[in-house]
Amino acid sequence: MLYDMTVPAYQNGLRALSAQLDKALAWGAENDVGELQLIVARLAPDMFPLAAQVRFSCLQAVQPLARLGATGAPELTDDATDFAGLQAQIAATLTWLDSVEAAALDTDPGRAVGFDLPNGMAFDMTALTYVRDWAQPQFYFHLVAAYSILRHMGVPLGKADYVGYMMAYLRPGTAPAA
């Protein structure tokens, strides 16, 4: 159950983010907006820039699963300095996600999970509430922040770029005419 709630969602989100970055890079080249301008862009002065949001999206896919029992997680210690580095972080995370086995996560959803934040706050939850109330919201927060930075910079992204994976579930004959 915990595997099904996390790994596929993280894979979908990170693949969508990778495609958004590809679109952003192409748009930037066509509109004289350099990689560095995009990488350091942020939504507000007190928020992290795009490079950190991408790394945090990857970390928020890795850390919860490692905390729940998955092993061999990639090290994601530094923000990337170019789009190739951003894509490398996503690729390393996706490769690792492909190796995570359901049995490593799906032992007991009621087991205790505790974690500490750098500011000294500590939390104690069950594995299920940890995934539902912390891991998933954190992942999507950073994923949306990265998307929002790109939109803020002018990259022509839409909802289809964020949830493009949903097309696999589209009922035949229901797509709007172009």
Side-chain angles (χ1 to χ4, degrees):
M1 169 178 60
L2 296 178
Y3 178 93
D4 290 336
M5 290 174 64
T6 55
V7 173
Y10 298 158
Q11 290 168 324
N12 286 339
L14 291 173
R15 286 184 186 120
L17 180 57
S18 177
Q20 292 164 29
L21 292 172
D22 284 342
K23 195 169 184 177
L25 189 59
W27 174 86
E30 294 169 4
N31 292 279
D32 295 320
V33 178
E35 281 185 60
L36 184 58
Q37 285 176 275
L38 292 168
I39 284 179
V40 301
R42 54 183 81 219
L43 291 175
D46 65 341
M47 290 184 74
F48 289 105
L50 177 64
Q53 298 297 348
V54 170
R55 182 170 61 89
F56 291 158
S57 295
C58 293
L59 282 171
Q60 293 304 325
V62 169
Q63 288 175 341
L65 302 182
R67 199 169 272 137
L68 292 172
T71 59
E75 299 256 344
L76 301 162
T77 56
D78 297 317
D79 291 345
T81 58
D82 58 20
F83 271 57
L86 297 175
Q87 293 287 17
Q89 288 176 337
I90 294 170
T93 304
L94 286 169
T95 297
W96 180 72
L97 288 170
D98 286 341
S99 75
V100 174
E101 296 183 16
L105 308 179
D106 289 340
T107 55
D108 174 14
R111 72 186 180 276
V113 173
F115 64 98
D116 301 333
L117 297 181
N119 66 5
M121 295 171 66
F123 296 88
D124 295 309
M125 313 167 89
T126 67
L128 178 60
T129 56
Y130 169 68
V131 166
R132 184 192 67 212
D133 297 341
W134 180 261
Q136 294 298 68
Q138 289 295 310
F139 175 74
Y140 287 114
F141 174 87
H142 293 291
L143 202 64
V144 169
Y147 171 91
S148 298
I149 289 168
L150 294 173
R151 287 282 294 139
H152 174 72
M153 292 298 291
V155 179
L157 299 173
K159 189 175 256 187
D161 296 297
Y162 184 75
V163 292
Y165 54 86
M166 288 300 297
M167 296 309 288
Y169 307 106
L170 182 66
R171 186 175 305 136
T174 64

